[in-house]
Amino acid sequence: MTSSSPRSSRNRLYAGVAALGVAGGAWLVCASAGGSSGTVCPFKLITGFACPACGSTRAVLALFEGRDPLQYNPVGLVTLAAGALALVLMLRDLATGSDALLRAWSRVEALFRRPAVAVAGVALLALNWIWTLAKGL
């Protein structure tokens, strides 16, 4: 059995970051072009309830338009910040040959494997979801 040479963790991570960056940018462009009805949440269509991330796209678009993004879902702002940081680190690494993004990813992954941190993260997401549902997003 022959197999292709395994891709390094760094290359897989960077390919994933690049793909998610392109997909996220395309999603924002499509949502922006669609206006207020441009974003459709499959979870909400099926269940009738807002998903934990409902309002994230609207929050990012509101930020770009100079409106208050916190009236929507702050998860979108956290995701935008993490994605932007990952893209900047990836571009820096590609320019310098470093692996800062891979090291940072490994540290964050190790942090979230700690039970106390994982439970706190899930609790924050649950509280955010309750807040999102209470706002009627």
Side-chain angles (χ1 to χ4, degrees):
M1 179 170 123
T2 60
S3 64
S4 61
S5 62
R7 295 174 66 184
S8 73
S9 295
R10 179 183 187 261
N11 289 343
R12 284 191 309 266
L13 175 62
Y14 292 9
V17 167
L20 286 172
V22 169
W27 180 261
L28 287 172
V29 167
C30 290
S32 178
S36 61
S37 63
T39 303
V40 177
C41 177
F43 184 88
K44 190 170 185 175
L45 287 174
I46 293 168
T47 67
F49 296 103
C51 76
C54 271
S56 293
T57 301
R58 288 174 280 175
V60 172
L61 292 175
L63 177 70
F64 290 158
E65 294 168 358
R67 296 182 290 115
D68 178 19
L70 295 179
Q71 65 183 324
Y72 301 108
N73 195 332
V75 168
L77 301 178
V78 173
T79 304
L80 176 67
L85 178 61
L87 284 170
V88 166
L89 284 175
M90 182 184 73
L91 292 173
R92 179 181 167 266
D93 287 355
L94 292 173
T96 65
S98 177
D99 64 349
L101 176 58
L102 180 60
R103 289 191 319 264
W105 179 269
S106 297
R107 286 192 303 268
V108 169
E109 185 178 29
L111 177 68
F112 277 93
R113 287 183 184 266
R114 299 165 102 183
V117 175
V119 168
V122 169
L124 282 172
L125 286 174
L127 288 171
N128 182 68
W129 194 8
I130 292 167
W131 181 61
T132 297
L133 291 170
K135 289 189 306 184
L137 286 181

Tab-separated table of all heavy atoms in Angstrom, residues 3 21-24 28 31 37 41 45 52 62-63 82 90 96-97 102 106 117 133:
chain	number	residue	atom	x	y	z
A	3	SER	N	1.163	5.398	0.148
A	3	SER	CA	0.412	6.574	0.604
A	3	SER	C	1.246	7.813	0.344
A	3	SER	O	2.466	7.754	0.254
A	3	SER	CB	0.064	6.465	2.090
A	3	SER	OG	1.241	6.456	2.866
A	21	GLY	N	-10.925	31.389	6.666
A	21	GLY	CA	-10.880	32.825	6.385
A	21	GLY	C	-11.606	33.169	5.096
A	21	GLY	O	-12.394	34.119	5.038
A	22	VAL	N	-11.375	32.376	4.064
A	22	VAL	CA	-12.052	32.599	2.778
A	22	VAL	C	-13.554	32.369	2.933
A	22	VAL	O	-14.374	33.163	2.463
A	22	VAL	CB	-11.454	31.703	1.676
A	22	VAL	CG1	-12.311	31.709	0.421
A	22	VAL	CG2	-10.026	32.143	1.352
A	23	ALA	N	-13.924	31.271	3.588
A	23	ALA	CA	-15.347	30.968	3.776
A	23	ALA	C	-16.040	32.040	4.619
A	23	ALA	O	-17.148	32.479	4.292
A	23	ALA	CB	-15.506	29.597	4.426
A	24	GLY	N	-15.378	32.480	5.681
A	24	GLY	CA	-15.958	33.528	6.528
A	24	GLY	C	-16.103	34.841	5.786
A	24	GLY	O	-17.130	35.529	5.904
A	28	LEU	N	-19.646	36.744	4.924
A	28	LEU	CA	-19.928	38.140	5.268
A	28	LEU	C	-20.315	38.952	4.040
A	28	LEU	O	-21.218	39.789	4.107
A	28	LEU	CB	-18.737	38.774	5.981
A	28	LEU	CG	-18.509	38.314	7.413
A	28	LEU	CD1	-17.193	38.867	7.954
A	28	LEU	CD2	-19.667	38.705	8.311
A	31	ALA	N	-23.868	37.871	3.147
A	31	ALA	CA	-24.821	38.372	4.141
A	31	ALA	C	-25.002	39.874	3.997
A	31	ALA	O	-26.113	40.390	4.118
A	31	ALA	CB	-24.348	38.029	5.549
A	37	SER	N	-32.275	40.342	5.585
A	37	SER	CA	-32.805	38.988	5.464
A	37	SER	C	-31.800	38.043	4.824
A	37	SER	O	-32.158	36.933	4.464
A	37	SER	CB	-34.093	39.014	4.638
A	37	SER	OG	-33.807	39.451	3.327
A	41	CYS	N	-30.434	30.959	9.502
A	41	CYS	CA	-29.869	29.995	10.440
A	41	CYS	C	-30.592	28.660	10.281
A	41	CYS	O	-31.782	28.580	10.593
A	41	CYS	CB	-30.023	30.522	11.867
A	41	CYS	SG	-29.448	29.368	13.127
A	45	LEU	N	-34.353	27.471	11.620
A	45	LEU	CA	-35.378	26.998	10.690
A	45	LEU	C	-35.957	25.654	11.129
A	45	LEU	O	-37.156	25.412	10.999
A	45	LEU	CB	-34.806	26.876	9.278
A	45	LEU	CG	-34.552	28.178	8.536
A	45	LEU	CD1	-33.842	27.905	7.221
A	45	LEU	CD2	-35.847	28.923	8.302
A	52	PRO	N	-26.836	28.968	19.330
A	52	PRO	CA	-25.920	29.711	20.205
A	52	PRO	C	-25.166	30.831	19.493
A	52	PRO	O	-24.742	31.792	20.125
A	52	PRO	CB	-24.948	28.640	20.697
A	52	PRO	CG	-25.701	27.364	20.593
A	52	PRO	CD	-26.595	27.525	19.387
A	62	ALA	N	-22.611	44.834	11.849
A	62	ALA	CA	-22.879	46.075	12.580
A	62	ALA	C	-21.568	46.767	12.942
A	62	ALA	O	-21.449	47.993	12.831
A	62	ALA	CB	-23.701	45.787	13.841
A	63	LEU	N	-20.579	46.002	13.372
A	63	LEU	CA	-19.269	46.570	13.699
A	63	LEU	C	-18.670	47.261	12.481
A	63	LEU	O	-18.191	48.394	12.566
A	63	LEU	CB	-18.330	45.473	14.203
A	63	LEU	CG	-16.907	45.898	14.525
A	63	LEU	CD1	-16.887	46.766	15.782
A	63	LEU	CD2	-16.020	44.682	14.715
A	82	ALA	N	-10.541	36.301	16.914
A	82	ALA	CA	-9.696	35.109	16.862
A	82	ALA	C	-9.286	34.800	15.420
A	82	ALA	O	-8.128	34.460	15.159
A	82	ALA	CB	-10.431	33.914	17.472
A	90	MET	N	-0.628	33.680	10.779
A	90	MET	CA	-0.304	32.803	9.667
A	90	MET	C	0.498	33.549	8.598
A	90	MET	O	1.517	33.048	8.106
A	90	MET	CB	-1.573	32.230	9.051
A	90	MET	CG	-1.296	31.272	7.907
A	90	MET	SD	-2.780	30.687	7.090
A	90	MET	CE	-3.263	32.140	6.180
A	96	THR	N	8.042	34.842	7.544
A	96	THR	CA	9.287	34.710	8.310
A	96	THR	C	9.754	33.268	8.481
A	96	THR	O	10.863	33.040	8.948
A	96	THR	CB	9.119	35.320	9.720
A	96	THR	OG1	8.147	34.552	10.439
A	96	THR	CG2	8.725	36.777	9.652
A	97	GLY	N	8.906	32.301	8.131
A	97	GLY	CA	9.273	30.903	8.321
A	97	GLY	C	9.084	30.430	9.754
A	97	GLY	O	9.514	29.336	10.120
A	102	LEU	N	1.079	27.892	15.074
A	102	LEU	CA	1.006	26.512	15.543
A	102	LEU	C	1.276	26.443	17.049
A	102	LEU	O	0.564	25.736	17.776
A	102	LEU	CB	1.991	25.626	14.779
A	102	LEU	CG	2.006	24.152	15.172
A	102	LEU	CD1	0.635	23.515	14.950
A	102	LEU	CD2	3.084	23.415	14.398
A	106	SER	N	-1.476	25.322	19.853
A	106	SER	CA	-1.198	24.242	20.798
A	106	SER	C	-1.425	24.693	22.238
A	106	SER	O	-1.974	23.934	23.049
A	106	SER	CB	0.240	23.738	20.628
A	106	SER	OG	0.406	23.182	19.345
A	117	VAL	N	-11.365	25.033	32.767
A	117	VAL	CA	-11.477	25.986	31.663
A	117	VAL	C	-12.579	25.545	30.700
A	117	VAL	O	-13.382	26.364	30.233
A	117	VAL	CB	-10.127	26.153	30.935
A	117	VAL	CG1	-10.261	27.049	29.719
A	117	VAL	CG2	-9.069	26.704	31.894
A	133	LEU	N	-31.514	34.006	23.442
A	133	LEU	CA	-32.919	33.596	23.394
A	133	LEU	C	-33.808	34.646	24.061
A	133	LEU	O	-34.899	34.946	23.557
A	133	LEU	CB	-33.103	32.226	24.058
A	133	LEU	CG	-32.486	31.044	23.312
A	133	LEU	CD1	-32.526	29.796	24.177
A	133	LEU	CD2	-33.154	30.818	21.970
